[in-house]
Amino acid sequence: MKGMQSDTITRRIEVPGGSGRAARVRAGELVRVVDVAGGQVGDVFAFALETPGEHPGNEHHSAAHTRAATSRLFPAVGDPFVTDRRRPILTLVADTSPGLHDMLIAACDPQRYAQLGAPGHRSCAANLREALAAIGHPYTGPTPQPINVFMRIPVGADGTLSWLPAPTAAGDAITFRAELDAVVVVSSCPQDLVGINRGEPSPLAVEVLAGQGRQA
C-alpha cells in the first residue's frame, strides 16, 4: 500500500455504474474512491466552496494548472491538485491501486458519444451536472477536465496515446485529502464504446473519512 489511510469512515456514498454523485467535504477530511468490482474508471471533479472575491462555486480543480504545479503528466502519492486559481484543493495521500491515473483526457460528453454513433448516451459531463444539481451547487461553467482515476492512457515515445482497460482489481482505492472546504463529484464513467472500462460500467464508492487535519 502506498501512503496512509484512516479507517474512520464517516460517510459512504454508492455511485452506480455510469452515474455520478457529489459529496461536501471539509478541509482535512479524506475522500477515498473505491473501485468496487474492478476495471472501472472514475472521473473526479472538485469545487472550492469559498473563493475570496469570487462568486461561490466557480473555483475548481484544473488539470492544466496541476500539471504546471507538479511538472508531471500523471499524479503520484504526495502530489497536490490545484484549482484554476492555483490553490491546492486536494492532495493524493494513498493509493492501493496499480497507480495509473490520467489527467490528459477530457470528460466524456454528449458530443463525444454523438461522434461515436451513440447519441443520447450517458456521459461524465452530464453526470457532473446532475450530481451538482442534486445538492444545489451553483456551478454553471464549462465542464472542468477531471482527474481520471484508474484510467490507463500511456504516452508513446512518438507522443501518441493508447486507450487501455483500467488495471484495477475489486477493492482498489485512491485517497485524497481535502485542502479546502469543497464539493467532490465522482462519476463512474459510462464509456462502453472505447475500451477503458472492462465491459459494462460498474459501481464506485466514495468514502469520506475523518482525517488528521490540513497539513501546513
Side-chain angles (χ1 to χ4, degrees):
M1 175 166 53
K2 295 172 249 179
M4 296 178 60
Q5 299 188 44
S6 166
D7 291 326
T8 308
I9 300 173
T10 60
R11 282 172 285 156
R12 180 180 169 95
I13 300 169
E14 302 293 336
V15 185
S19 299
R21 297 291 185 270
R24 289 186 175 90
V25 297
R26 301 294 299 272
E29 288 186 315
L30 304 179
V31 180
R32 184 160 65 202
V33 181
V34 183
D35 188 351
V36 175
Q40 177 61 44
V41 168
D43 285 33
V44 177
F45 307 86
F47 299 83
L49 284 175
E50 294 185 8
T51 304
E54 295 284 343
H55 186 275
N58 281 348
E59 184 180 6
H60 55 81
H61 164 258
S62 167
H65 290 79
T66 296
R67 291 193 299 267
T70 63
S71 297
R72 295 175 55 87
L73 287 178
F74 306 118
V77 170
D79 282 353
F81 298 86
V82 306
T83 70
D84 56 332
R85 302 295 185 267
R86 300 187 188 272
R87 295 199 298 165
I89 188 169
L90 301 172
T91 299
L92 177 50
V93 296
D95 189 358
T96 64
S97 80
L100 300 174
H101 313 284
D102 170 72
M103 287 201 305
L104 300 177
I105 303 301
C108 59
D109 53 31
Q111 295 79 15
R112 169 72 162 153
Y113 289 108
Q115 291 173 354
L116 291 171
H121 197 287
R122 292 197 65 86
S123 70
C124 287
N127 287 347
L128 169 66
R129 304 296 172 175
E130 291 174 6
L132 291 177
I135 64 167
H137 191 278
Y139 184 75
T140 58
T143 302
Q145 185 178 347
I147 308 162
N148 295 309
V149 298
F150 315 134
M151 187 171 179
R152 184 166 45 148
I153 306 288
V155 180
D158 60 354
T160 57
L161 303 178
S162 298
W163 299 70
L164 303 180
T168 41
D172 282 352
I174 184 171
T175 306
F176 305 91
R177 183 179 62 242
E179 305 298 348
L180 302 171
D181 293 347
V183 167
V184 175
V185 177
V186 176
S187 171
S188 170
C189 183
Q191 178 60 266
D192 54 4
L193 304 175
V194 175
I196 58 170
N197 297 313
R198 284 180 263 173
E200 296 278 333
S202 59
L204 299 173
V206 179
E207 297 174 343
V208 180
L209 302 93
Q212 302 302 314
R214 180 169 40 186
Q215 291 189 352

